[in-house]
Amino acid sequence: MDSVAVENYLKSIWELGPDDVATQDLAQLLNVAPASATKMVQRLTERGLVKHIPYKGASLTSEGRRRALSVVRRHRLLETFLAQTLDLGREQLHDEAERLEHALSTELETAIANYLGNPERDPHGHPIPGPNGELLIDEDILLSDCSLNQSLVVTQVPDRDPNLLTWLEGNGIFPGTKLKIISRDDFGGGINVSLDDSSVQIAISVASEVYVILETD
Amino acid sequence: MDSVAVENYLKSIWELGPDDVATQDLAQLLNVAPASATKMVQRLTERGLVKHIPYKGASLTSEGRRRALSVVRRHRLLETFLAQTLDLGREQLHDEAERLEHALSTELETAIANYLGNPERDPHGHPIPGPNGELLIDEDILLSDCSLNQSLVVTQVPDRDPNLLTWLEGNGIFPGTKLKIISRDDFGGGINVSLDDSSVQIAISVASEVYVILETD
DNA sequence: TATAAAGTTTAGCCTTGGCTAAAAATATAA
DNA sequence: TTATATTTTTAGCCAAGGCTAAACTTTATA
Ligand SMILES: [Mn+2]
Ligand SMILES: [Mn+2]
Ligand SMILES: [Mn+2]
Ligand SMILES: [Mn+2]
């Protein structure tokens, strides 16, 4: 069984990947010093889970990817399970799952998946990898890349920052929300979107973490 | 925050206590070498969580006890939560809780407790400590210590051994079961109990892990 | 009561996963 | 194209939590 640290590194490399994951980015995501990340990347390379080209970057081997996706699956199943049973706010889920994901047996993972009816997405709209690492390919696009006046539906919101998530939620923006960009304020640094019965200004930095699809109906 | 190892040691000392916990017993319960247990007991003494009299035994300080009970609370809440939501068998609960107990925030602990309606006992009949370490005092007695033909109700079964638990369950013995000792077979090494519509022979070693009360009605 | 056995602690070692400071490589700018 | 920043790696250190083997206490036995 991989240690908590190993599981976190694999998942982070997956999140930053697929290729040339920079030591610095990895270190920052995991809150460790760059030297620590280098060392762990070397250990994982030794174990055959990572491929590392010094001074260039790291990437997962197929076994590394398999294990990373297993962690991601547990994480997203847990978020979904906690959201469904207890009712925690969407913004509380991530941090809990971040710790619980390392303590789930395969049996419990399966029991939770069955209980939930093998869901395809977690409460943030992120696809849940299958038990063998099958991952839905999303064809959604960034809100920040959309044109004016298209009818859009939110598919995914970021899950790491509780404050951001609370703000989005408070403005009615979460997976399933229908919206439309009504103007871009390039110098004001944001876009204006209209929802069913309100409108909000969203910073580009935020809009480039929200995924949407074109409304089809 | 205490590490996983520290939490496990504190909980184990509590389980073996309250006084003069032997190095060997601690080591065995935790699956480590006696020397490892000694060293950790010394570190915990240094931290003010344990009192250690060399060659005599270890015990918890009040702060150590507080933290141990916090782990026990999380463990038992988790067992109850898993039993209630997913339906795992009573024998699967313990091992899962054993790992999850270290990954629960206070917020999630509270959310689970509220969801469950602040239960007093877990699925094995073990009392769940309150959020500040208040612990119900049980006045139940060992099945192995009871006389013949008393009307008894099972209150607690052991939770560590899945096979034992499966056997008990299969014979209809779990918290709430009404039974009566109909004979003791001192040389056969067991007691015979009758249930509602069956009877079973139970080894003394098993009967001395099952708690009961006299039926009051 | 002397000796053997059992239990406990000490000594010394190891791996994991952190850290800082310095060196080396790569990227950027002058 | 050379000098400067930036990024990455190496070197050396540390604490936690394991281990085995040897020394020391305590307990049991003859
Ligand atoms: Mn998440
Ligand atoms: Mn998520
Ligand atoms: Mn248990
Ligand atoms: Mn229990």
Side-chain angles (χ1 to χ4, degrees), chain B residues 65-116:
Chain B
R65 189 180 130 90
R66 209 185 55 70
R67 298 197 197 180
L69 284 170
S70 155
V71 183
V72 172
R73 172 171 166 80
R74 280 173 270 150
H75 180 103
R76 294 181 179 175
L77 281 173
L78 278 163
E79 286 186 344
T80 312
F81 180 58
L82 294 178
Q84 182 117 349
T85 52
L86 315 173
D87 49 20
L88 305 190
R90 222 182 300 266
E91 76 287 353
Q92 298 181 261
L93 300 172
H94 180 77
D95 287 350
E96 300 293 346
E98 202 59 47
R99 282 170 290 107
L100 291 167
E101 65 190 5
H102 310 291
L104 220 45
S105 69
T106 309
E107 292 76 46
L108 192 49
E109 174 191 317
T110 304
I112 290 175
N114 287 337
Y115 170 84
L116 296 170

Short mmCIF file of all heavy atoms in Angstrom, two decimals, chain B residues 65-116:
data_model
loop_
_atom_site.label_atom_id
_atom_site.label_comp_id
_atom_site.label_asym_id
_atom_site.label_seq_id
_atom_site.Cartn_x
_atom_site.Cartn_y
_atom_site.Cartn_z
N ARG B 65 -5.64 11.04 28.39
CA ARG B 65 -6.94 10.40 28.40
C ARG B 65 -7.94 11.16 27.54
O ARG B 65 -8.72 10.58 26.78
CB ARG B 65 -7.46 10.33 29.84
CG ARG B 65 -8.71 9.50 30.03
CD ARG B 65 -9.14 9.48 31.50
NE ARG B 65 -10.54 9.82 31.61
CZ ARG B 65 -11.55 8.94 31.58
NH1 ARG B 65 -11.27 7.66 31.49
NH2 ARG B 65 -12.79 9.32 31.65
N ARG B 66 -7.89 12.46 27.64
CA ARG B 66 -8.79 13.30 26.84
C ARG B 66 -8.60 13.00 25.35
O ARG B 66 -9.55 12.78 24.61
CB ARG B 66 -8.48 14.79 27.10
CG ARG B 66 -9.64 15.74 26.94
CD ARG B 66 -9.21 17.20 27.09
NE ARG B 66 -8.13 17.57 26.19
CZ ARG B 66 -8.26 17.69 24.87
NH1 ARG B 66 -9.42 17.48 24.29
NH2 ARG B 66 -7.22 18.03 24.13
N ARG B 67 -7.34 12.94 24.95
CA ARG B 67 -7.08 12.71 23.53
C ARG B 67 -7.42 11.28 23.12
O ARG B 67 -7.88 11.03 22.01
CB ARG B 67 -5.61 12.99 23.21
CG ARG B 67 -5.25 14.45 23.49
CD ARG B 67 -3.97 14.83 22.81
NE ARG B 67 -3.44 16.05 23.39
CZ ARG B 67 -2.32 16.64 23.00
NH1 ARG B 67 -1.60 16.10 22.03
NH2 ARG B 67 -1.91 17.75 23.57
N ALA B 68 -7.17 10.34 24.01
CA ALA B 68 -7.52 8.94 23.71
C ALA B 68 -9.03 8.83 23.50
O ALA B 68 -9.50 8.21 22.54
CB ALA B 68 -7.07 8.03 24.84
N LEU B 69 -9.79 9.46 24.39
CA LEU B 69 -11.25 9.37 24.28
C LEU B 69 -11.77 10.06 23.03
O LEU B 69 -12.79 9.65 22.46
CB LEU B 69 -11.91 9.96 25.53
CG LEU B 69 -11.83 9.04 26.75
CD1 LEU B 69 -12.29 9.76 28.00
CD2 LEU B 69 -12.69 7.79 26.52
N SER B 70 -11.06 11.07 22.59
CA SER B 70 -11.45 11.72 21.35
C SER B 70 -11.30 10.75 20.18
O SER B 70 -12.16 10.70 19.28
CB SER B 70 -10.60 12.97 21.14
OG SER B 70 -10.51 13.30 19.78
N VAL B 71 -10.24 9.95 20.19
CA VAL B 71 -10.06 8.95 19.14
C VAL B 71 -11.16 7.89 19.24
O VAL B 71 -11.76 7.49 18.23
CB VAL B 71 -8.68 8.27 19.22
CG1 VAL B 71 -8.50 7.29 18.05
CG2 VAL B 71 -7.56 9.30 19.21
N VAL B 72 -11.43 7.45 20.46
CA VAL B 72 -12.46 6.43 20.66
C VAL B 72 -13.82 6.94 20.19
O VAL B 72 -14.59 6.23 19.53
CB VAL B 72 -12.54 6.02 22.16
CG1 VAL B 72 -13.74 5.12 22.41
CG2 VAL B 72 -11.25 5.35 22.58
N ARG B 73 -14.09 8.21 20.48
CA ARG B 73 -15.36 8.80 20.02
C ARG B 73 -15.46 8.75 18.51
O ARG B 73 -16.46 8.32 17.95
CB ARG B 73 -15.47 10.25 20.51
CG ARG B 73 -16.66 11.01 19.93
CD ARG B 73 -16.83 12.37 20.63
NE ARG B 73 -17.73 13.26 19.91
CZ ARG B 73 -19.06 13.19 19.98
NH1 ARG B 73 -19.61 12.29 20.75
NH2 ARG B 73 -19.80 14.04 19.31
N ARG B 74 -14.40 9.20 17.83
CA ARG B 74 -14.42 9.18 16.37
C ARG B 74 -14.58 7.77 15.84
O ARG B 74 -15.35 7.52 14.91
CB ARG B 74 -13.13 9.81 15.83
CG ARG B 74 -13.14 11.33 15.85
CD ARG B 74 -11.79 11.92 15.48
NE ARG B 74 -10.93 12.12 16.63
CZ ARG B 74 -9.60 12.05 16.60
NH1 ARG B 74 -8.97 11.74 15.48
NH2 ARG B 74 -8.91 12.28 17.70
N HIS B 75 -13.87 6.83 16.44
CA HIS B 75 -13.96 5.43 16.02
C HIS B 75 -15.40 4.92 16.09
O HIS B 75 -15.93 4.37 15.14
CB HIS B 75 -13.04 4.59 16.90
CG HIS B 75 -13.03 3.13 16.57
ND1 HIS B 75 -11.99 2.54 15.89
CD2 HIS B 75 -13.91 2.14 16.82
CE1 HIS B 75 -12.26 1.25 15.72
NE2 HIS B 75 -13.42 0.98 16.29
N ARG B 76 -16.02 5.15 17.21
CA ARG B 76 -17.34 4.58 17.43
C ARG B 76 -18.42 5.31 16.65
O ARG B 76 -19.39 4.70 16.18
CB ARG B 76 -17.63 4.54 18.94
CG ARG B 76 -16.68 3.56 19.62
CD ARG B 76 -16.85 3.40 21.12
NE ARG B 76 -15.89 2.41 21.61
CZ ARG B 76 -15.70 2.11 22.89
NH1 ARG B 76 -16.42 2.71 23.84
NH2 ARG B 76 -14.80 1.19 23.23
N LEU B 77 -18.23 6.62 16.48
CA LEU B 77 -19.18 7.34 15.62
C LEU B 77 -19.08 6.83 14.19
O LEU B 77 -20.09 6.62 13.51
CB LEU B 77 -18.89 8.85 15.65
CG LEU B 77 -19.39 9.62 16.87
CD1 LEU B 77 -18.89 11.06 16.84
CD2 LEU B 77 -20.93 9.61 16.92
N LEU B 78 -17.86 6.61 13.74
CA LEU B 78 -17.67 6.12 12.38
C LEU B 78 -18.29 4.74 12.20
O LEU B 78 -18.97 4.49 11.19
CB LEU B 78 -16.18 6.08 12.04
CG LEU B 78 -15.60 7.42 11.60
CD1 LEU B 78 -14.08 7.42 11.68
CD2 LEU B 78 -16.06 7.75 10.18
N GLU B 79 -18.08 3.86 13.16
CA GLU B 79 -18.69 2.54 13.05
C GLU B 79 -20.21 2.67 12.93
O GLU B 79 -20.85 2.00 12.12
CB GLU B 79 -18.34 1.67 14.26
CG GLU B 79 -16.90 1.17 14.25
CD GLU B 79 -16.61 0.19 15.40
OE1 GLU B 79 -17.41 0.14 16.36
OE2 GLU B 79 -15.58 -0.49 15.33
N THR B 80 -20.76 3.54 13.75
CA THR B 80 -22.21 3.72 13.74
C THR B 80 -22.69 4.31 12.42
O THR B 80 -23.68 3.88 11.83
CB THR B 80 -22.63 4.63 14.91
OG1 THR B 80 -22.00 4.18 16.09
CG2 THR B 80 -24.14 4.61 15.10
N PHE B 81 -21.95 5.29 11.95
CA PHE B 81 -22.30 5.97 10.69
C PHE B 81 -22.24 5.01 9.51
O PHE B 81 -23.16 4.95 8.68
CB PHE B 81 -21.35 7.13 10.48
CG PHE B 81 -21.60 7.93 9.23
CD1 PHE B 81 -22.83 8.54 9.00
CD2 PHE B 81 -20.59 8.09 8.30
CE1 PHE B 81 -23.04 9.28 7.86
CE2 PHE B 81 -20.80 8.84 7.14
CZ PHE B 81 -22.03 9.44 6.92
N LEU B 82 -21.17 4.23 9.45
CA LEU B 82 -21.03 3.28 8.34
C LEU B 82 -22.12 2.22 8.39
O LEU B 82 -22.67 1.81 7.36
CB LEU B 82 -19.65 2.62 8.35
CG LEU B 82 -18.45 3.54 8.09
CD1 LEU B 82 -17.15 2.77 8.18
CD2 LEU B 82 -18.58 4.22 6.73
N ALA B 83 -22.44 1.76 9.60
CA ALA B 83 -23.47 0.74 9.74
C ALA B 83 -24.82 1.27 9.28
O ALA B 83 -25.62 0.57 8.67
CB ALA B 83 -23.55 0.27 11.19
N GLN B 84 -25.05 2.52 9.58
CA GLN B 84 -26.35 3.12 9.30
C GLN B 84 -26.54 3.44 7.82
O GLN B 84 -27.61 3.21 7.25
CB GLN B 84 -26.48 4.42 10.11
CG GLN B 84 -27.79 5.12 9.96
CD GLN B 84 -28.51 5.16 11.30
OE1 GLN B 84 -28.10 4.50 12.26
NE2 GLN B 84 -29.56 5.94 11.37
N THR B 85 -25.52 3.99 7.20
CA THR B 85 -25.67 4.47 5.83
C THR B 85 -25.48 3.33 4.83
O THR B 85 -26.39 2.94 4.14
CB THR B 85 -24.68 5.60 5.53
OG1 THR B 85 -23.37 5.18 5.90
CG2 THR B 85 -25.03 6.85 6.31
N LEU B 86 -24.28 2.86 4.75
CA LEU B 86 -24.00 1.70 3.91
C LEU B 86 -24.49 0.54 4.74
O LEU B 86 -24.57 0.66 5.93
CB LEU B 86 -22.49 1.58 3.71
CG LEU B 86 -21.84 2.90 3.38
CD1 LEU B 86 -20.33 2.75 3.37
CD2 LEU B 86 -22.32 3.39 2.05
N ASP B 87 -24.86 -0.61 4.16
CA ASP B 87 -25.00 -1.61 5.18
C ASP B 87 -23.92 -2.66 5.15
O ASP B 87 -24.06 -3.68 4.51
CB ASP B 87 -26.41 -2.20 5.30
CG ASP B 87 -26.95 -2.61 3.97
OD1 ASP B 87 -26.12 -2.79 3.06
OD2 ASP B 87 -28.14 -2.76 3.85
N LEU B 88 -22.89 -2.32 5.83
CA LEU B 88 -21.80 -3.24 6.06
C LEU B 88 -22.20 -4.17 7.19
O LEU B 88 -22.98 -3.80 8.06
CB LEU B 88 -20.54 -2.48 6.48
CG LEU B 88 -20.08 -1.38 5.53
CD1 LEU B 88 -18.70 -0.89 5.95
CD2 LEU B 88 -20.04 -1.87 4.10
N GLY B 89 -21.67 -5.39 7.19
CA GLY B 89 -21.86 -6.27 8.32
C GLY B 89 -21.13 -5.72 9.54
O GLY B 89 -20.14 -5.00 9.41
N ARG B 90 -21.65 -6.08 10.71
CA ARG B 90 -21.06 -5.61 11.95
C ARG B 90 -19.57 -5.95 12.02
O ARG B 90 -18.79 -5.24 12.66
CB ARG B 90 -21.78 -6.26 13.14
CG ARG B 90 -22.07 -5.32 14.30
CD ARG B 90 -22.73 -6.06 15.45
NE ARG B 90 -24.01 -6.67 15.07
CZ ARG B 90 -25.20 -6.08 15.24
NH1 ARG B 90 -25.27 -4.91 15.80
NH2 ARG B 90 -26.30 -6.68 14.86
N GLU B 91 -19.19 -7.02 11.34
CA GLU B 91 -17.79 -7.47 11.45
C GLU B 91 -16.84 -6.69 10.55
O GLU B 91 -15.63 -6.77 10.72
CB GLU B 91 -17.69 -8.96 11.13
CG GLU B 91 -17.78 -9.35 9.67
CD GLU B 91 -19.20 -9.24 9.08
OE1 GLU B 91 -20.14 -8.98 9.86
OE2 GLU B 91 -19.33 -9.38 7.86
N GLN B 92 -17.36 -5.90 9.61
CA GLN B 92 -16.48 -5.14 8.73
C GLN B 92 -16.17 -3.76 9.28
O GLN B 92 -15.26 -3.08 8.82
CB GLN B 92 -17.14 -4.93 7.36
CG GLN B 92 -17.45 -6.18 6.59
CD GLN B 92 -18.07 -5.83 5.24
OE1 GLN B 92 -19.28 -5.88 5.07
NE2 GLN B 92 -17.24 -5.45 4.29
N LEU B 93 -16.96 -3.33 10.25
CA LEU B 93 -16.91 -1.94 10.68
C LEU B 93 -15.60 -1.54 11.32
O LEU B 93 -15.03 -0.50 11.03
CB LEU B 93 -18.05 -1.69 11.67
CG LEU B 93 -19.45 -1.93 11.12
CD1 LEU B 93 -20.48 -1.83 12.24
CD2 LEU B 93 -19.76 -0.94 10.01
N HIS B 94 -15.12 -2.43 12.20
CA HIS B 94 -13.99 -2.04 13.04
C HIS B 94 -12.75 -1.66 12.23
O HIS B 94 -12.14 -0.62 12.47
CB HIS B 94 -13.66 -3.16 14.01
CG HIS B 94 -12.52 -2.83 14.90
ND1 HIS B 94 -12.64 -1.99 15.98
CD2 HIS B 94 -11.22 -3.20 14.84
CE1 HIS B 94 -11.46 -1.86 16.56
NE2 HIS B 94 -10.58 -2.58 15.89
N ASP B 95 -12.37 -2.51 11.28
CA ASP B 95 -11.14 -2.25 10.53
C ASP B 95 -11.20 -0.95 9.74
O ASP B 95 -10.20 -0.22 9.64
CB ASP B 95 -10.84 -3.41 9.58
CG ASP B 95 -10.33 -4.63 10.34
OD1 ASP B 95 -10.04 -4.49 11.54
OD2 ASP B 95 -10.24 -5.70 9.73
N GLU B 96 -12.37 -0.67 9.19
CA GLU B 96 -12.50 0.59 8.46
C GLU B 96 -12.35 1.77 9.41
O GLU B 96 -11.60 2.70 9.15
CB GLU B 96 -13.87 0.68 7.76
CG GLU B 96 -14.15 -0.41 6.74
CD GLU B 96 -13.26 -0.33 5.50
OE1 GLU B 96 -12.60 0.70 5.29
OE2 GLU B 96 -13.22 -1.33 4.75
N ALA B 97 -13.06 1.70 10.54
CA ALA B 97 -13.02 2.80 11.50
C ALA B 97 -11.61 2.99 12.04
O ALA B 97 -11.18 4.11 12.33
CB ALA B 97 -13.99 2.54 12.65
N GLU B 98 -10.90 1.89 12.14
CA GLU B 98 -9.54 1.93 12.68
C GLU B 98 -8.65 2.87 11.86
O GLU B 98 -7.74 3.49 12.40
CB GLU B 98 -8.97 0.51 12.66
CG GLU B 98 -7.83 0.26 13.60
CD GLU B 98 -8.21 0.53 15.04
OE1 GLU B 98 -9.27 0.09 15.52
OE2 GLU B 98 -7.41 1.21 15.72
N ARG B 99 -8.91 2.96 10.56
CA ARG B 99 -8.11 3.86 9.73
C ARG B 99 -8.75 5.23 9.58
O ARG B 99 -8.08 6.26 9.64
CB ARG B 99 -7.83 3.22 8.37
CG ARG B 99 -6.71 2.17 8.46
CD ARG B 99 -6.58 1.36 7.21
NE ARG B 99 -7.72 0.47 7.05
CZ ARG B 99 -8.69 0.62 6.19
NH1 ARG B 99 -8.65 1.61 5.33
NH2 ARG B 99 -9.69 -0.23 6.16
N LEU B 100 -10.07 5.25 9.41
CA LEU B 100 -10.75 6.53 9.20
C LEU B 100 -10.71 7.44 10.42
O LEU B 100 -10.73 8.66 10.28
CB LEU B 100 -12.22 6.26 8.81
CG LEU B 100 -12.44 5.63 7.44
CD1 LEU B 100 -13.87 5.13 7.31
CD2 LEU B 100 -12.13 6.62 6.32
N GLU B 101 -10.65 6.85 11.59
CA GLU B 101 -10.69 7.64 12.84
C GLU B 101 -9.63 8.73 12.90
O GLU B 101 -9.79 9.70 13.63
CB GLU B 101 -10.55 6.71 14.06
CG GLU B 101 -9.21 6.02 14.14
CD GLU B 101 -9.14 4.91 15.20
OE1 GLU B 101 -10.17 4.62 15.82
OE2 GLU B 101 -8.04 4.34 15.37
N HIS B 102 -8.55 8.55 12.15
CA HIS B 102 -7.46 9.53 12.21
C HIS B 102 -7.62 10.67 11.20
O HIS B 102 -6.78 11.55 11.14
CB HIS B 102 -6.12 8.84 11.97
CG HIS B 102 -5.92 7.64 12.83
ND1 HIS B 102 -5.75 7.73 14.20
CD2 HIS B 102 -5.92 6.32 12.54
CE1 HIS B 102 -5.65 6.51 14.70
NE2 HIS B 102 -5.75 5.64 13.71
N ALA B 103 -8.66 10.59 10.41
CA ALA B 103 -8.79 11.54 9.29
C ALA B 103 -10.06 12.38 9.39
O ALA B 103 -10.53 12.93 8.40
CB ALA B 103 -8.77 10.77 7.97
N LEU B 104 -10.62 12.47 10.59
CA LEU B 104 -11.89 13.15 10.79
C LEU B 104 -11.67 14.51 11.44
O LEU B 104 -11.09 14.59 12.50
CB LEU B 104 -12.73 12.28 11.73
CG LEU B 104 -14.21 12.12 11.48
CD1 LEU B 104 -14.46 11.84 10.01
CD2 LEU B 104 -14.73 10.97 12.31
N SER B 105 -12.14 15.58 10.82
CA SER B 105 -12.07 16.88 11.46
C SER B 105 -13.13 16.97 12.55
O SER B 105 -14.09 16.19 12.55
CB SER B 105 -12.32 17.99 10.45
OG SER B 105 -13.66 17.96 10.04
N THR B 106 -12.97 17.94 13.43
CA THR B 106 -13.99 18.16 14.45
C THR B 106 -15.34 18.48 13.82
O THR B 106 -16.38 18.03 14.31
CB THR B 106 -13.58 19.33 15.37
OG1 THR B 106 -12.25 19.10 15.83
CG2 THR B 106 -14.51 19.45 16.56
N GLU B 107 -15.31 19.23 12.72
CA GLU B 107 -16.56 19.59 12.05
C GLU B 107 -17.28 18.35 11.53
O GLU B 107 -18.48 18.20 11.69
CB GLU B 107 -16.31 20.54 10.86
CG GLU B 107 -15.82 21.92 11.27
CD GLU B 107 -14.36 21.90 11.68
OE1 GLU B 107 -13.53 21.29 10.97
OE2 GLU B 107 -14.03 22.49 12.74
N LEU B 108 -16.51 17.46 10.90
CA LEU B 108 -17.14 16.27 10.35
C LEU B 108 -17.62 15.36 11.48
O LEU B 108 -18.70 14.76 11.40
CB LEU B 108 -16.16 15.53 9.43
CG LEU B 108 -16.77 14.43 8.57
CD1 LEU B 108 -18.00 14.89 7.84
CD2 LEU B 108 -15.74 13.92 7.58
N GLU B 109 -16.83 15.27 12.53
CA GLU B 109 -17.23 14.51 13.72
C GLU B 109 -18.59 15.01 14.21
O GLU B 109 -19.51 14.21 14.46
CB GLU B 109 -16.18 14.67 14.82
CG GLU B 109 -16.56 14.04 16.15
CD GLU B 109 -15.61 14.46 17.27
OE1 GLU B 109 -14.39 14.49 17.03
OE2 GLU B 109 -16.11 14.77 18.37
N THR B 110 -18.71 16.31 14.32
CA THR B 110 -19.97 16.89 14.80
C THR B 110 -21.11 16.62 13.82
O THR B 110 -22.22 16.27 14.23
CB THR B 110 -19.79 18.41 14.97
OG1 THR B 110 -18.69 18.63 15.84
CG2 THR B 110 -21.04 19.04 15.56
N ALA B 111 -20.82 16.79 12.55
CA ALA B 111 -21.86 16.56 11.53
C ALA B 111 -22.37 15.13 11.59
O ALA B 111 -23.58 14.88 11.50
CB ALA B 111 -21.32 16.88 10.14
N ILE B 112 -21.45 14.19 11.77
CA ILE B 112 -21.85 12.78 11.85
C ILE B 112 -22.67 12.52 13.12
O ILE B 112 -23.71 11.86 13.08
CB ILE B 112 -20.62 11.86 11.80
CG1 ILE B 112 -20.00 11.90 10.40
CG2 ILE B 112 -20.97 10.44 12.20
CD1 ILE B 112 -18.71 11.12 10.26
N ALA B 113 -22.19 13.08 14.23
CA ALA B 113 -22.92 12.89 15.49
C ALA B 113 -24.34 13.44 15.38
O ALA B 113 -25.30 12.79 15.81
CB ALA B 113 -22.15 13.56 16.64
N ASN B 114 -24.48 14.61 14.79
CA ASN B 114 -25.81 15.19 14.64
C ASN B 114 -26.68 14.35 13.72
O ASN B 114 -27.84 14.10 14.01
CB ASN B 114 -25.72 16.62 14.08
CG ASN B 114 -25.20 17.57 15.12
OD1 ASN B 114 -25.30 17.31 16.33
ND2 ASN B 114 -24.61 18.68 14.68
N TYR B 115 -26.07 13.96 12.61
CA TYR B 115 -26.81 13.13 11.66
C TYR B 115 -27.37 11.89 12.34
O TYR B 115 -28.50 11.47 12.10
CB TYR B 115 -25.89 12.72 10.51
CG TYR B 115 -26.45 11.67 9.60
CD1 TYR B 115 -27.31 12.01 8.55
CD2 TYR B 115 -26.14 10.33 9.78
CE1 TYR B 115 -27.83 11.05 7.71
CE2 TYR B 115 -26.65 9.35 8.95
CZ TYR B 115 -27.50 9.72 7.92
OH TYR B 115 -28.02 8.76 7.10
N LEU B 116 -26.57 11.31 13.22
CA LEU B 116 -26.97 10.07 13.90
C LEU B 116 -27.86 10.33 15.11
O LEU B 116 -28.33 9.40 15.75
CB LEU B 116 -25.74 9.28 14.35
CG LEU B 116 -24.80 8.75 13.25
CD1 LEU B 116 -23.52 8.22 13.88
CD2 LEU B 116 -25.49 7.66 12.44
#
